[in-house]
Amino acid sequence: MTNPVQDAYPVNDVRGLFPQLAVPVNGMPLVYLDSAATSLKFGIGLRKELDFASHEMAAVNRGAHTLAAEATEKFDEARATVARFVGARPANIVWTSNATDGINMVANGFRISSLGRTATDGRFRLAEGDEIVVTEAEHHANLIPWQELARATGAVLRVAAVTDGGVLTVDAVRAVVSDRTRVVAFTHVSNVLGIVNPVTEITALAHSVGAIVVLDACQSAPHIPLNLAELGVDFAVFSAHKMYGPTGIGALYGRDEALAEMPPVLFGGSMITYVDYERAEYLPAPAKFEPGTPRLTQAIGWAAALDIMSAIGREAIAAHEEALGSALYDLVEPLPGVRILGAKHGVDRVGLVSVAVDGVHPHDVGQFLDSKGIAVRVGYHCAQPLHRRLGVDSSTRMSVGMHTTLAEIEFAVDVLSGVRRYFGEA
Ligand SMILES: Cc1ncc(COP(=O)(O)O)c(C=O)c1O
């Protein structure tokens, strides 16, 4: 199979940036098809983290010494880099541990407001019978925090259905949106299906009833050039470790008004302007959401990773991955006894395909692939309800990264095509 996009994309140079690709697995070259779980890391990014920790580390903000000033400057630059990468301003980016943390922060904003103790948080206050909308395509990270919030406040969780092909239509969301809807939380790209959801249309619908929109951008931020301000969502979350950056850091994006309205949810030092024994007054966002000493080396490492992606070119990476994803789908589709979860036609997709193999458990599929050096994800990928909806317990997921080659895809599909025979099912 020829792939014109790949010819123009410097995939071999890109591969040279990832030290892990040089380390064989089970005596075979590593074919890493698990980027949707966590990505490989750039050697340059790891070295930048180490350099910062070795030579420049100091507690940021308010330090009176040179190192503190320099560290603060680098840390502020890192926030600006993350912001630029998603079409935001630095003041719109709150550091978090990961995407899960960001969603929980917003849900906790609602929880704290709904206790009725803060005065300036009208839209964050839920009353009994108010409604929270999620979709059948959600990762547990964008389901359970809302489920718990509903339980605590008496709000009702409403779930927008996907089609049998896993497609989320605007009409399906409209069917569960009402004038009681206060939150619409949904994923930009499903981590099981790879299907890209219609963000602007769903956001406009949610805003027409005054609801706050929370976008899970975990699987889009690494693969699709993003402009969150243009998408118009109120909040969005994403994680560095899926974007070739470190674990332990992510971001909560919030529009100015959304961050101003949301009450702080974690409390302590570095977030206040005044404290006495009765009360505290808080700094504006993002500081009001960031008590304590922040994740310094991780922020530096993340910014370094994003700079490399930007230098290679977001559009070029997206085109490369899309072509590979399409090739992956087309090569897997004809395999007998292998069912792909999620439609291909009439939807936009990222480079991710999950399959159910007749008669073979995903763990066996994964081990068979692993024996040939191919790393994939098996299980329900933190999306049990979605798997149930699609009529399976679990699946095997192959997801591409910016370093993936067409030869790797062809090899992986070739190995996959032998799985049923190996386990006596064909
Ligand atoms: C769609 C989606 N949402 C949320 C998450 C949670 O991300 P994290 O574990 O980085 O918080 C993931 C990670 O797998 C994901 O794929």
Side-chain angles (χ1 to χ4, degrees):
M1 179 176 282
T2 57
N3 180 345
V5 172
Q6 225 181 354
D7 292 341
Y9 180 79
V11 72
N12 287 328
D13 297 339
V14 169
R15 292 174 71 75
L17 297 171
F18 293 99
Q20 242 176 310
L21 288 175
V23 183
V25 170
N26 295 322
M28 304 284 289
L30 170 64
V31 176
Y32 191 76
L33 293 178
D34 200 16
S35 294
T38 200
S39 59
L40 299 179
K41 312 302 169 205
F42 293 117
I44 301 169
L46 297 170
R47 280 196 294 281
K48 286 233 163 120
E49 273 186 69
L50 184 62
D51 277 354
F52 179 80
S54 311
H55 305 301
E56 295 163 289
M57 174 65 105
V60 292
N61 305 325
R62 297 174 313 281
H65 56 90
T66 305
L67 274 182
E70 285 173 5
T72 302
E73 199 178 313
K74 286 258 163 86
F75 182 58
D76 289 346
E77 271 171 28
R79 194 192 299 268
T81 301
V82 172
R84 242 188 340 268
F85 198 83
V86 295
R89 290 179 301 104
N92 301 116
I93 296 295
V94 177
W95 299 117
T96 63
S97 303
N98 48 35
T100 305
D101 187 31
I103 297 168
N104 275 281
M105 283 172 69
V106 179
N108 283 336
F110 278 95
R111 190 189 307 255
I112 286 172
S113 290
S114 304
L115 295 177
R117 308 257 289 271
T118 38
T120 58
D121 48 14
R123 285 205 305 160
F124 280 83
R125 194 168 296 200
L126 292 179
E128 197 152 335
D130 281 346
E131 292 173 357
I132 300 169
V133 167
V134 295
T135 84
E136 283 183 332
E138 301 314 311
H139 186 283
H140 296 163
N142 202 28
L143 169 60
I144 303 170
W146 304 115
Q147 215 168 50
E148 289 295 330
L149 177 65
R151 206 189 316 282
T153 58
V156 178
L157 190 73
R158 306 203 61 192
V159 184
V162 295
T163 66
D164 291 347
V167 179
L168 178 69
T169 63
V170 181
D171 282 343
V173 181
R174 189 173 291 113
V176 291
V177 163
S178 77
D179 59 4
R180 296 298 305 267
T181 308
R182 298 286 175 265
V183 185
V184 176
F186 67 104
T187 193
H188 193 174
V189 174
S190 157
N191 66 312
V192 176
L193 309 164
I195 295 176
V196 183
N197 290 324
V199 177
T200 37
E201 292 87 340
I202 295 174
T203 299
L205 172 64
H207 284 165
S208 72
V209 295
I212 287 178
V213 173
V214 182
L215 184 71
D216 178 349
C218 254
Q219 296 294 347
S220 55
H223 305 294
I224 301 174
L226 263 193
N227 188 317
L228 292 172
E230 269 175 18
L231 287 178
V233 297
D234 297 291
F235 293 102
V237 298
F238 45 102
S239 282
H241 72 93
K242 294 185 197 288
M243 304 170 80
Y244 312 103
T247 51
I249 191 163
L252 167 66
Y253 159 88
R255 269 166 52 161
D256 292 345
E257 318 80 69
L259 289 179
E261 272 180 81
M262 180 169 141
V265 292
L266 296 164
F267 302 92
S270 308
M271 64 180 295
I272 52 82
T273 54
Y274 172 84
V275 183
D276 63 27
Y277 286 110
E278 272 73 50
R279 69 194 176 88
E281 285 172 12
Y282 302 114
L283 285 161
K288 79 171 176 182
F289 299 109
E290 296 178 347
T293 306
R295 304 151 184 93
L296 295 174
T297 50
Q298 293 92 332
I300 303 302
W302 190 7
L306 299 185
D307 280 341
I308 298 168
M309 288 181 78
S310 297
I312 292 165
R314 306 279 298 283
E315 301 286 351
I317 294 170
H320 173 73
E321 293 183 354
E322 201 189 308
L324 289 179
S326 184
L328 177 60
Y329 199 107
D330 292 345
L331 289 169
V332 171
E333 201 173 19
L335 298 184
V338 177
R339 174 187 158 205
I340 298 179
L341 305 184
K344 179 176 185 202
H345 301 291
V347 291
D348 290 332
R349 303 180 56 88
V350 300
L352 181 161
V353 168
S354 296
V355 297
V357 179
D358 275 359
V360 188
H361 194 277
H363 282 100
D364 292 331
V365 178
Q367 275 183 3
F368 186 70
L369 292 168
D370 182 52
S371 71
K372 312 287 181 205
I374 304 164
V376 298
R377 198 81 182 157
V378 298
Y380 44 74
H381 322 308
C382 296
Q384 274 189 13
L386 177 58
H387 275 83
R388 236 175 266 130
R389 165 68 181 88
L390 299 174
V392 290
D393 289 337
S394 53
S395 61
T396 302
R397 181 180 71 191
M398 293 166 282
S399 54
V400 312
M402 61 190 288
H403 44 73
T404 308
T405 65
L406 184 60
E408 288 182 313
I409 296 291
E410 287 170 342
F411 175 62
V413 176
D414 190 43
V415 174
L416 180 68
S417 72
V419 164
R420 292 184 69 238
R421 203 174 331 109
Y422 181 83
F423 286 99
E425 291 292 328

